[in-house]
């Protein structure tokens, strides 16, 4: 149990285009989902926290208009990178949490974004 | 300031040797504690976690970790390292109701 999927697993796009990444909890209801960003050889940095049905909370320094997060259901959150640029190239990882799980998060496999 | 510290950026051990990866946290209360492993280009795999109770926690792949409140530490250990253990290891903490914060990671290299 507690499986989280991400789609796509990798994506290449042209500069200026938008890319949507999906994060799904497959066998549980995720009241909260998190989006992390990881640059090569670095740790995971939290970008934003989203609760189902409400607006996401962004970490300081993360542009909310550039990284649009939607958590429309208890099993799906999406991250849209708008007007992507090469510096947005990174590994994006989502995680999901449900109440009663001792605040444990379950991580997706990640999405590799390359912006040309 | 609240933080998670992994003092060792890179550790090299010989196959069959013992391993200890360090993790210290700086929080007012005892957080929930986790260790994850990440192979290149892959997502995170949970090795073990500590919420309460026995301070010595057993995980997968022969790993264990010991929570020491007095030292604010949660060090990861393995008695005999295998070549397949080469990866990046992350310590992470969660305070109740809050998000997960990660240490900088320790890269493990295993020599034949």
């Amino acid at each position: 149990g507690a499986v989280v999927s991400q789609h796509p697993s990798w994506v290449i796009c042209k500069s200026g285009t938008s890319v949507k990444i999906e994060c799904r909890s497959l066998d549980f209801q995720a009241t909260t989902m998190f989006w992390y960003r990881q640059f090569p050889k670095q740790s995971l940095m939290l970008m934003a926290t989203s609760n189902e049905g409400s607006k996401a909370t962004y970490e300081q320094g993360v542009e909310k208009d550039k990284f649009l997060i939607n958590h429309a259901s208890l099993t799906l959150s999406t991250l849209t990178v708008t007007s992507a640029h090469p510096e947005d190239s990174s590994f994006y990882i989502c995680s999901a949490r449900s109440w009663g799980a001792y605040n444990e998060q379950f991580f997706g496999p990640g999405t590799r974004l390359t912006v040309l | 300031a609240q933080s998670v510290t992994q003092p060792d950026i890179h550790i090299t051990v010989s196959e069959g040797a013992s391993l200890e990866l360090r993790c210290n946290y700086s929080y007012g209360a005892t957080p929930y504690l986790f260790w994850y492993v990440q192979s290149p280009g892959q997502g995170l795999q949970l090795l073990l976690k500590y919420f309460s109770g026995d301070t010595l926690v057993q995980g997968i792949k022969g790993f264990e970790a010991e929570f020491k409140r007095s030292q604010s530490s949660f060090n990861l250990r393995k008695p005999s390292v295998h070549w397949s253990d080469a990866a990046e290891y992350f310590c992470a903490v969660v305070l109740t109701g809050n998000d997960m914060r990660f240490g900088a990671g320790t890269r493990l290299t295993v020599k034949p």
Side-chain angles (χ1 to χ4, degrees), chain A residues 38 43 59 97 104-105, chain B residues 38 46 49 98 100-101 103:
Chain A
Q38 185 181 31
S43 187
E59 294 297 299
R97 181 180 78 191
E104 182 177 355
Q105 296 178 26
Chain B
Q38 185 182 36
L46 178 66
K49 58 193 176 188
N98 293 328
M100 182 173 282
R101 301 287 173 166

Side-chain angles (χ1 to χ4, degrees), chain B residues 3 13 23 29 34-35 38 56 84-85 93 98 105:
Chain B
S3 66
V13 298
C23 174
F34 305 81
W35 273 101
Q38 185 182 36
L56 186 60
S84 60
D85 293 324
V93 305
N98 293 328

Side-chain angles (χ1 to χ4, degrees), chain B residues 3-97:
Chain B
S3 66
V4 184
T5 303
Q6 292 180 248
D8 306 304
I9 296 174
H10 183 205
I11 284 182
T12 300
V13 298
S14 298
E15 190 168 17
S18 63
L19 170 71
E20 182 169 29
L21 302 181
R22 296 182 291 167
C23 174
N24 294 92
Y25 63 90
S26 175
Y27 288 88
T30 299
Y32 301 120
L33 299 157
F34 305 81
W35 273 101
Y36 290 89
V37 61
Q38 185 182 36
S39 296
Q42 303 296 311
L44 300 177
Q45 182 179 24
L46 178 66
L47 289 175
L48 46 77
K49 58 193 176 188
Y50 173 78
F51 295 149
S52 64
D54 193 345
T55 56
L56 186 60
V57 181
Q58 300 298 319
I60 62 171
K61 301 185 177 185
F63 286 93
E64 66 176 27
E66 185 172 12
F67 168 60
K68 292 186 177 180
R69 186 187 303 274
S70 61
Q71 299 178 19
S72 296
S73 69
F74 189 56
N75 294 349
L76 182 71
R77 300 194 294 248
K78 186 169 185 177
S80 177
V81 171
H82 188 262
W83 65 265
S84 60
D85 293 324
E88 188 84 18
Y89 290 80
F90 293 99
C91 178
V93 305
V94 171
L95 283 175
T96 303

